[in-house]
Structures are given as structure tokens and as C-alpha cells.
Amino acid sequence: MSHPQSRLWLLLIFVMISTGFLNACGIKGPPVPPRRYRPPAVTDLSYKVEKETLRLTWTVPSGTEQEKVNLTGCNVYRSMRPFSDADCKNCPAPYKEVANVPVQRGGNDGKPVGKLQYSEILAGGFDYTFKVICYTDNEIFGDDSNIVNFKY
């Protein structure tokens, strides 16, 4: 290789290396966690009361977001207010987790199927409010379901 060509090669290598260094600031940014998809919310929570037994039912949420998450179960939350607290209609409902309902899987594809349900014996003299929140195997929680509210 002649002398001018070796200088050209050295200059080209120097430019390529220095360009790589100039584009970076030398300081690493904070780690970015992988994107996590939240489970979709239940939209069809409904109830039925027979004698003193409540039965909540809802369909396992589906859709494009649900296909990206591994839905594991749903937590059921209840708020009970005595009729004597009827004066406080705008007070926030104090919810308490009362049950965990696992998602049933079926078929060859292992997708969640069917309706889920929760039952309990009701005490009289209360204004009841229920909601459901689904979660994944990584404990990522979705949004609140629709609310069911009734007096018993």
C-alpha cells in the first residue's frame, strides 16, 4: 500500500471511531422497564339476590389488550354502609377486598373462558357496592369494573 493510501485509511478509521464517540454523551440513562400491558376492565359485572344470598357474575375480559397479558384472576371488592349513614351520599365508598376468583382456562389455546362468579350471604340493613379488578400473573392490576349497588 502506498503512503497516501495508508493515510487515507487511517483518516477514515479515525473519522469512523470518533463519530461513534461524538454521538454518545458517555453517560448511561436510567434503565427502562419493558412495557407492561394492563388487563382490560370488566364491563358487565351484574348481581342477583335470592333470599339472603348474593351472586355476582361477570365475563372474563377479552380483546387485543387481553391477548397481551396473562390474566390470572379477579379481586372482588365490597363496600357496606349502614342505612343510618344515608346522609353521606357523596362520601367515598370504603372498599374492602372480600375474594379472589381465579380465571378458568380451557381449550387447546389455554385462553380464559366463560363467566366468573362470587357468592356471599348478605346482612340486612346495608347499602352494598361491589366492583371487580382483574390482575395478571405478574400482579399488574387493571382498572375498576363497572359498579353494582343495591340496598338489602
Side-chain angles (χ1 to χ4, degrees):
M1 201 182 283
S2 68
H3 192 60
Q5 283 183 336
S6 60
R7 282 187 188 170
L8 184 62
W9 278 108
L10 286 173
L11 181 62
L12 183 60
I13 292 171
F14 175 75
V15 168
M16 288 180 2
I17 291 173
S18 63
T19 303
F21 288 124
L22 292 176
N23 286 339
C25 65
I27 300 173
K28 285 187 175 183
V32 177
R35 183 175 179 143
R36 294 183 174 193
Y37 292 97
R38 296 178 65 204
V42 170
T43 58
D44 65 344
L45 180 63
S46 61
Y47 75 97
K48 185 174 187 178
V49 177
E50 292 179 352
K51 297 187 181 178
E52 70 274 352
T53 302
L54 162 74
R55 177 170 297 145
L56 294 175
T57 58
W58 65 95
T59 306
V60 175
S62 63
T64 57
E65 289 300 306
Q66 193 276 333
E67 293 166 2
K68 297 176 186 175
V69 300
N70 189 12
L71 199 60
T72 303
C74 299
N75 290 335
V76 178
Y77 296 88
R78 174 188 65 213
S79 173
M80 293 173 60
R81 283 190 206 218
F83 290 154
S84 60
D85 289 351
D87 303 350
C88 191
K89 294 197 183 292
N90 294 328
C91 293
Y95 285 100
K96 176 182 173 188
E97 183 181 328
V98 293
N100 176 281
V101 181
V103 169
Q104 305 297 316
R105 300 192 176 276
N108 294 333
D109 55 9
K111 288 185 178 179
V113 294
K115 287 201 173 248
L116 298 178
Q117 67 178 4
Y118 165 75
S119 296
E120 75 173 52
I121 304 297
L122 299 172
F126 289 93
D127 184 8
Y128 286 92
T129 306
F130 286 88
K131 67 181 179 179
V132 173
I133 300 176
C134 294
Y135 61 91
T136 68
D137 55 351
N138 295 331
E139 295 188 4
I140 300 171
F141 290 84
D143 292 327
D144 293 0
S145 69
N146 59 299
I147 303 293
V148 295
N149 178 262
F150 58 92
K151 295 182 184 328
Y152 181 80

